[in-house]
Amino acid sequence: MKVHLIFFAVLIAGFISYNMLFKAEDDRLNTIINILYASVLFGYIAFMAFALLKKMKK
């Protein structure tokens, strides 16, 4: 589970660094990138929760 948390922290750091340093010039493209990145983050949260519940079941 520790590896999952480290990978999630890297994803969060990437999201923050993108929004502070590497924003796209076009607002529409920037919004699309933010939505896709946030979707990946929430999907990974769901995966971690599923893995944790599966581990707790055993």
Side-chain angles (χ1 to χ4, degrees):
M1 196 68 191
K2 190 175 185 178
V3 174
H4 294 295
L5 290 174
I6 292 171
F7 185 69
F8 185 67
V10 169
L11 285 175
I12 293 289
F15 184 72
I16 291 170
S17 66
Y18 168 74
N19 280 313
M20 296 187 95
L21 303 174
F22 306 113
K23 273 189 177 178
E25 294 299 322
D26 185 22
D27 285 337
R28 188 173 180 182
L29 180 63
N30 191 37
T31 302
I32 291 171
I33 292 171
N34 276 332
I35 290 171
L36 289 175
Y37 209 125
S39 297
V40 169
L41 288 174
F42 284 122
Y44 198 73
I45 289 172
F47 168 74
M48 285 192 319
F50 179 74
L52 182 65
L53 288 174
K54 198 171 182 182
K55 191 180 275 190
M56 286 175 60
K57 188 176 181 182
K58 289 182 179 183

